[in-house]
């Protein structure tokens, strides 16, 4: 819709609607000021020392970990649909001549005019960005960061490489590789729910941290299952930390949370890099087949 | 009525199987044999699981509920604040997911048979459409409902885009742009309810709702407004009905079967949420009823004006969404049962009509009444299926549409609003006229080109006839024995009216 479409009665309706929304939201936020209910959050805070030192990591990838699995899916589906719009996976009915598919052309992208300083400056920056992405990923459970942030930083390094050096950039990742790594990432995340499901019946139960069958927290009624020691050690011990806090010392482990972050990072790298690559160079089935 | 089990085995499978299948199919891309085996096996597994599963809850990540007296419990029937994300699989969810998985199986088989090469990503999106439907109908959590709506909108855009035509691209782009508002609306509503109650679990939020606090109660009105906005966009209700109709019309008809099922389940899920959380607010039901009536009337009027059978069906789907929401908006047990039954029936008979339309598409001359005619001579069974589907959609006995529409009429009369009953009747009559205008021109009107033995298109696959037969059987079954379906819907209606905090 161009700006002309918003003139006249449509424009007036749009302005009135926006004003109503603005007034409604802002008065609600003002009324909430100082009245925000704490609800369930104190419970999460109480449990925090037994899991990831970064409380946010426990919330996002443990307590609400299944939410985040589907949110991760939004990124995966976003890439799938974006690339479909460019031409990967357009389907036709056998024997029916419909309208010809719209074939978006690739961007006119030329790296030959880049100056020498930028060209030499690019490689160390890309190396630094990738290193930073790995740092953010490995520190997911203990500090701000995680798989998503790692994926975004890595993707920015990839985009920088494409802008500076074109298709044959230092991170020379093919479309097939990116599609595969995105899928593998989301699969890793999804399948990390399996150990908990098989041992306790609860999908994505954190068998590494194992707050509820190991007796760490007393007063639990109803969980009959016991996580085998081998699973607890396999998923928990590599990430164990000694937390010295004002009310005591806790031997906490984030359990499967760091592994989920690795899956998330793969998914985001695959999805976002694929979008960059296909938006810049387009998609051609014949060309892909010959590669 | 209130199950205690909190780790029901089947619930995660309804989400994880489609995810893993979708990933595998996307990677397989053009390996048709592998895609066929994987897709049919997965969709068949979903049908079997939905049919065999008992009822219960699943608390994802396995954190217990916090008891008001202190301590923790894994019993879902005890009063407690949920630490985990909660899904519920009850009778309503069973019939809805069973039907959605059956449609997925049909649509997958038809796609494999009728589409040529590179079908991996497309069928992958069909599985994800099922996944988003399953999420919204099972989840008992504001935050996750939002994610279900958000990912659902994106998937719809992908399914529409898959045909690659300009009209599909335009419809998908417009829908994606505006449907972002749906997710955003639900997100703002979620933020306000979280601020007021501190809980994202719907049951817990209802229990903690500060209805007696006047100043905070006004925030609930704003949250209600945004949730209604989300309902309107996710379900394609008036005034944004043309966007959703474009999406239905621009997709392959077999894909629209799944898209309309997803849309109906979203209407049901968000509609029940509105009643559970905001049903006691003055004017809430009146707002919902007004939107429903407007949708029904605008939908049928637009359907009458169409000359392409796909677009006629698209607007009728929108119009009949209004019938679903009308029943839910009444807020009575009878009204809700009527609305839910209408949703189930609507999905079935619209699937019959859409698959008949798919059959017409295979003749290679489009689906416009101006360009195609005389199909009954070449495909008499297709014509019979379309006529039976039209009878069901128009509320003619002994088909299923009659049974749900009669409940809606009775519910409207018992609610003291006979004018709503008149609107339902008017929708039935105009549906009949709109459908038979298309059916006469496409199937029954003599065709010169056909008489000259002009051969175009491709033979209608046998699997399409098999799917049509199965769906027509269901329309007759629910028409003759409605109690079979109603038994699955009564519990949900009773809970919403009398114990809204129980999912």
């Amino acid at each position: 819709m161009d700006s002309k479409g918003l003139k006249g009665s449509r424009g007036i309706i749009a302005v009135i609607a926006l004003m109503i929304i603005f007034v409604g939201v802002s008065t609600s936020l003002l009324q909430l000021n100082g009245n925000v209910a704490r609800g369930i959050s104190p419970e999460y805070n109480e449990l925090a020392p037994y899991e990831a030192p970064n409380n946010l990591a426990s919330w996002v990838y443990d307590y609400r970990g299944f939410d985040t699995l589907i949110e991760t899916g939004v990124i995966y589906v976003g890439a799938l649909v974006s690339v479909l719009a460019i031409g990967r996976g357009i389907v036709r009915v056998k024997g029916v001549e419909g309208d010809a598919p719209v074939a978006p052309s690739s961007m006119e992208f030329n790296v030959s005019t880049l100056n020498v300083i930028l060209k030499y400056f690019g490689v160390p920056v890309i190396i630094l960005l990738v290193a930073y992405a790995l740092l953010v990923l490995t520190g997911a459970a203990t500090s701000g960061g995680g798989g998503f942030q790692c994926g975004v930083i890595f993707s920015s390094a990839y985009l920088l490489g494409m802008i500076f050096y074109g298709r044959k950039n230092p991170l020379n990742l093919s479309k097939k590789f990116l599609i595969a790594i995105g899928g593998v990432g989301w699969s890793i995340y999804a399948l990390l729910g399996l150990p908990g499901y098989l041992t306790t019946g609860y999908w994505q139960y954190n068998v590494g941290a194992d707050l509820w069958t190991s007796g760490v927290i007393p007063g639990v009624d109803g969980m009959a299952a016991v996580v085998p020691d081998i699973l607890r050690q396999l998923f928990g011990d590599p990430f164990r930390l000694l937390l010295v806090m004002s009310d005591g010392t806790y031997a906490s482990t984030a359990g499967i949370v760091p592994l989920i972050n690795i899956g998330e990072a793969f998914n985001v790298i695959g999805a976002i890099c694929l979008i960059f690559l296909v938006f810049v160079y387009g998609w051609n089935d014949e060309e892909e087949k010959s590669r | 009525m209130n199950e205690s089990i909190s780790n029901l085995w089947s619930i995660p499978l309804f989400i994880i199987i489609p995810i893993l299948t979708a990933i595998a199919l996307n990677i397989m891309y053009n390996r048709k044999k592998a895609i066929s085996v994987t897709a049919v096996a997965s969709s068949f597994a979903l049908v079997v699981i939905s049919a065999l599963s008992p009822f219960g809850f699943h608390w994802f990540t396995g954190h217990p509920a916090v008891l008001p007296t202190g301590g923790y419990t894994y019993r879902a029937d005890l009063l407690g604040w949920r630490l985990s994300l909660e899904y519920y699989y009850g009778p309503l969810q069973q019939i809805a997911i069973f039907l959605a998985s059956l449609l997925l199986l049909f649509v997958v088989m038809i796609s494999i048979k009728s589409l040529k090469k590179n079908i991996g990503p497309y069928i992958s999106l069909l599985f994800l459409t099922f996944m988003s439907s399953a999420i919204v109908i099972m989840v008992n959590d504001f935050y996750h409902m939002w994610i279900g709506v958000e990912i659902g909108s994106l998937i719809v855009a992908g399914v529409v885009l898959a045909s690659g035509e300009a009209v599909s691209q335009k419809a998908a782009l417009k829908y994606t742009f505006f449907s972002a508002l749906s997710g955003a609306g639900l997100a703002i509503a979620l933020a306000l309810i979280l601020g007021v109650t501190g809980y994202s679990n719907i049951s817990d939020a209802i229990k903690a709702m500060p209805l007696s606090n006047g100043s905070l109660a006004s925030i609930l009105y704003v949250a209600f407004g945004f949730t209604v906005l989300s309902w309107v966009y996710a379900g394609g209700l008036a005034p944004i009905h043309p966007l959703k109709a474009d999406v239905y019309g621009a997709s392959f008809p077999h894909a629209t079967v799944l898209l309309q099922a997803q849309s109906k389940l979203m209407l049901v899920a968000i509609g029940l949420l509105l009643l559970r959380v905001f049903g006691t607010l003055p004017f809430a039901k009146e707002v919902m009823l007004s939107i429903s009536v407007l949708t029904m009337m605008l939908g049928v009027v637009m359907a009458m004006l169409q000359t392409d059978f796909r677009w006629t069906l698209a607007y009728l789907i929108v119009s009949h969404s209004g019938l679903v929401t009308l029943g839910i908006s009444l807020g009575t047990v009878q009204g809700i049962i009527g609305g839910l039954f209408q949703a189930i029936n609507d999905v079935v008979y619209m699937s019959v009509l859409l698959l008949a339309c798919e059959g017409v598409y295979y003749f290679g001359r489009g689906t416009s009444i101006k360009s195609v005619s005389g199909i009954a001579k070449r495909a008499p069974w297709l014509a019979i299926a379309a006529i039976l589907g039209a009878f069901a959609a128009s509320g003619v006995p002994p088909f299923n549409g009659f049974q749900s529409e009669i409940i809606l009429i009775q519910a409207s009369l018992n609610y003291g609003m006979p004018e709503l009953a008149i609107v339902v009747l008017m929708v039935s009559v105009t549906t009949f006229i709109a459908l038979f205008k298309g059916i006469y021109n496409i199937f029954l009107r003599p065709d010169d080109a056909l008489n000259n033995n002009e051969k175009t298109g491709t033979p209608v696959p046998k699997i399409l006839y098999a799917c049509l037969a199965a769906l027509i059987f269901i329309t007759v079954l629910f028409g003759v024995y409605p109690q079979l379906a109603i038994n699955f819907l009564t519990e949900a209606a009773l809970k919403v009216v009398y114990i809204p905090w129980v999912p």
Side-chain angles (χ1 to χ4, degrees):
Chain A
M1 186 189 290
D2 57 22
S3 59
K4 283 180 189 167
L6 287 174
K7 285 181 181 167
S9 58
R10 278 188 183 184
I12 293 168
I13 292 169
V15 169
I16 292 172
L18 283 174
M19 279 176 65
I20 291 171
I21 290 171
F22 176 75
V23 171
V25 173
S26 47
T27 51
S28 298
L29 292 178
L30 284 174
Q31 281 171 338
L32 273 176
N33 189 17
N35 290 315
V36 173
R38 297 190 71 196
I40 196 72
S41 54
E43 292 293 335
Y44 288 136
N45 291 338
E46 230 169 82
L47 295 170
Y50 301 101
E51 279 217 64
N54 171 18
N55 203 353
L56 195 63
S58 297
W59 284 12
V60 175
Y61 292 107
D62 189 333
Y63 306 116
R64 307 291 303 190
F66 197 75
D67 259 344
T68 315
L69 172 72
I70 309 299
E71 279 282 25
T72 304
V74 174
I75 299 163
Y76 183 84
V77 175
L80 181 62
V81 174
S82 303
V83 177
L84 186 69
I86 301 295
R88 180 184 181 270
I90 298 292
V91 287
R92 315 296 293 165
V93 175
K94 285 178 198 163
V96 176
E97 292 293 321
D99 293 344
V102 178
S105 53
S106 56
M107 288 167 67
E108 293 291 328
F109 187 66
N110 191 347
V111 294
S112 61
T113 55
L114 202 72
N115 70 47
V116 177
I117 297 172
L118 283 181
K119 222 164 197 174
Y120 285 103
F121 176 71
V123 175
V125 171
I126 290 167
I127 292 170
L128 281 175
L129 279 172
V130 172
Y132 181 49
L134 293 174
L135 179 73
V136 165
L137 177 64
T138 50
T142 52
S143 61
F148 181 80
Q149 290 85 341
C150 163
V152 171
I153 295 165
F154 187 96
S155 307
S156 63
Y158 184 68
L159 181 63
L160 193 74
M162 270 204 309
I163 292 170
F164 279 13
Y165 307 104
R167 202 162 196 159
K168 296 282 176 202
N169 61 68
L171 299 170
N172 187 17
L173 307 175
S174 71
K175 290 171 192 166
K176 275 183 188 163
F177 176 79
L178 291 172
I179 290 164
I181 202 168
V184 166
W186 201 21
S187 304
I188 289 175
Y189 193 156
L191 289 172
L192 276 168
L194 208 52
Y197 181 67
L198 295 176
T199 52
T200 66
Y202 293 92
W203 192 271
Q204 222 171 302
Y205 178 76
N206 193 337
V207 288
D210 192 22
L211 298 188
W212 305 104
T213 80
S214 59
V216 171
I217 298 167
V220 189
D221 162 39
M223 171 79 105
V226 175
V227 173
D229 282 340
I230 180 75
L231 279 183
R232 207 178 291 149
Q233 287 159 5
L234 189 68
F235 289 98
D237 285 352
F239 312 106
R240 199 167 289 285
L241 291 166
L242 208 62
L243 290 183
V244 182
M245 299 176 74
S246 57
D247 60 339
T249 301
Y250 298 85
S252 86
T253 171
I256 61 171
V257 170
L259 299 173
I260 286 177
N261 273 287
I262 293 171
E264 167 105 48
F266 281 173
N267 176 56
V268 175
I269 289 170
I272 299 184
C273 292
L274 183 67
I275 292 175
F276 288 155
L277 189 58
V278 174
F279 272 40
V280 172
Y281 293 107
W283 180 276
N284 184 319
D285 276 319
E286 297 308 315
E287 190 187 321
E288 292 306 316
K289 212 181 277 178
S290 63
R291 274 173 187 278
Chain B
M1 194 178 222
N2 191 14
E3 286 77 17
S4 63
I5 185 166
S6 61
N7 59 349
L8 184 67
W9 59 271
S10 60
I11 290 177
L13 303 181
F14 291 127
I15 312 301
I16 299 299
I17 290 176
I19 287 178
L20 295 178
T21 310
I23 293 169
L25 298 180
N26 186 32
I27 292 173
M28 287 173 195
Y29 192 51
N30 56 2
R31 294 184 183 88
K32 198 161 183 181
K33 209 166 183 182
I35 289 171
S36 307
V37 172
T38 312
V40 172
S42 294
S43 46
F44 185 72
L46 291 168
V47 175
V48 173
I49 294 168
S50 61
L52 298 182
S53 172
F55 301 142
F57 292 84
H58 197 95
W59 293 351
F60 284 98
T61 68
H63 292 283
V66 184
L67 292 164
T69 51
Y72 303 93
T73 183
Y74 278 100
R75 283 189 52 186
D77 57 337
L78 296 181
L79 183 70
W81 310 108
R82 289 358 180 196
L83 283 172
S84 293
L85 169 68
E86 182 176 65
Y87 276 39
Y88 175 61
Y89 188 76
L92 168 66
Q93 287 74 12
Q94 182 167 44
I95 192 167
I97 292 179
F98 175 75
L99 198 58
S101 56
L102 195 65
L103 292 176
L104 175 70
L105 178 64
F106 290 171
V107 171
V108 162
M109 289 192 297
I110 292 168
S111 306
I112 290 167
K113 195 75 191 164
S114 63
L115 299 178
K116 57 183 176 189
K117 61 180 190 176
N118 307 339
I119 58 173
Y122 177 69
I123 300 187
S124 167
L125 284 167
L126 297 179
F127 272 89
L128 294 173
T129 309
F130 169 85
M131 180 202 73
S132 65
S133 311
I135 288 175
V136 291
I137 202 70
M138 288 194 292
V139 73
N140 187 36
D141 191 280
F142 285 107
Y143 191 84
H144 206 68
M145 177 84 83
W146 166 49
I147 294 171
V149 171
E150 192 187 11
I151 198 167
S153 306
L154 201 52
I155 294 162
V156 169
V159 173
V160 181
L161 275 171
S163 73
E165 294 173 2
V167 65
S168 309
Q169 298 237 345
K170 201 174 164 189
L173 188 65
K174 272 202 288 187
Y175 181 74
T176 310
F177 179 74
F178 283 99
S179 69
L181 292 175
S182 170
L186 212 48
I188 295 175
L190 156 76
L192 295 176
I193 291 169
L194 258 179
V196 168
T197 67
Y199 298 96
S200 68
N201 181 287
I202 296 170
S203 300
D204 293 351
I206 293 170
K207 284 180 272 183
M209 206 67 89
L211 290 172
S212 53
N213 185 336
S215 66
L216 290 184
S218 67
I219 297 172
L220 294 179
Y221 275 105
V222 180
F224 169 71
F226 279 107
T227 313
V228 168
L229 183 74
S230 168
W231 194 46
V232 164
Y233 276 95
L237 302 177
I240 65 99
H241 56 286
L243 289 177
K244 199 78 177 188
D246 279 354
V247 161
Y248 295 143
S251 316
F252 290 119
H254 68 256
T256 310
V257 168
L258 274 187
L259 297 185
Q260 56 110 16
Q262 183 218 44
S263 198
K264 296 282 158 34
L265 294 188
M266 284 197 179
L267 279 176
V268 166
I270 304 176
L272 294 182
L273 167 82
L274 282 166
L275 277 186
R276 289 174 66 198
V277 181
F278 306 106
T280 52
L281 292 180
F283 309 119
K285 288 175 193 164
E286 284 74 8
V287 170
M288 292 165 71
L289 277 173
S290 309
I291 293 169
S292 305
V293 171
L294 204 61
T295 304
M296 280 190 287
M297 298 183 73
L298 290 174
V300 281
V301 170
M302 292 299 288
M304 296 272 282
L305 297 174
Q306 303 306 311
T307 54
D308 191 313
F309 197 49
R310 275 161 87 178
W311 257 263
T312 305
L313 292 180
Y315 277 102
L316 284 178
I317 293 168
V318 165
S319 169
H320 285 223
S321 297
L323 285 172
V324 175
T325 56
L326 173 87
I328 292 172
S329 305
L330 287 172
T332 61
V333 173
Q334 192 181 29
I336 295 169
I337 290 174
L340 299 179
F341 194 23
Q342 178 63 34
I344 300 292
N345 291 338
D346 199 31
V347 167
V348 179
Y349 61 63
M350 282 301 174
S351 300
V352 173
L353 289 164
L354 286 163
L355 291 186
C357 183
E358 173 95 359
V360 173
Y361 187 73
Y362 293 151
F363 284 90
R365 288 191 289 168
T367 50
S368 167
I369 58 173
K370 292 176 183 168
S371 62
V372 58
S373 53
I375 297 290
K377 198 167 181 181
R378 281 168 73 173
W381 290 109
L382 204 59
I384 291 170
I387 290 168
L388 294 179
F391 281 144
S394 312
V396 174
F399 297 99
N400 57 351
F402 167 75
Q403 295 290 358
S404 49
E405 284 176 26
I406 203 82
I407 296 175
L408 287 175
I409 289 170
Q410 285 170 346
S412 304
L413 294 173
N414 291 337
Y415 192 72
M417 295 190 79
E419 54 274 34
L420 293 178
I422 293 169
V423 175
V424 175
L425 279 173
M426 191 204 79
V427 169
S428 290
V429 174
T430 39
T431 298
F432 186 85
I433 297 168
L435 283 173
F436 273 89
K437 179 182 142 195
I439 287 173
Y440 169 74
N441 282 295
I442 289 174
F443 291 97
L444 306 176
R445 186 159 53 93
D447 185 336
D448 292 339
L450 190 68
N451 293 337
N452 293 335
N453 288 326
E454 181 195 308
K455 290 280 180 195
T456 53
T458 185
V460 179
K462 288 194 178 84
I463 189 71
L464 189 115
Y465 284 117
C467 297
L468 275 172
L471 290 167
I472 290 169
F473 173 75
I474 297 174
T475 62
V476 177
L477 183 69
F478 286 171
V480 174
Y481 185 34
Q483 207 56 39
L484 191 67
I486 291 171
N487 285 342
F488 285 91
L489 310 173
T490 309
E491 185 207 73
L494 287 170
K495 279 180 179 175
V496 169
V497 175
Y498 298 113
I499 40 172
W501 55 90
V502 179

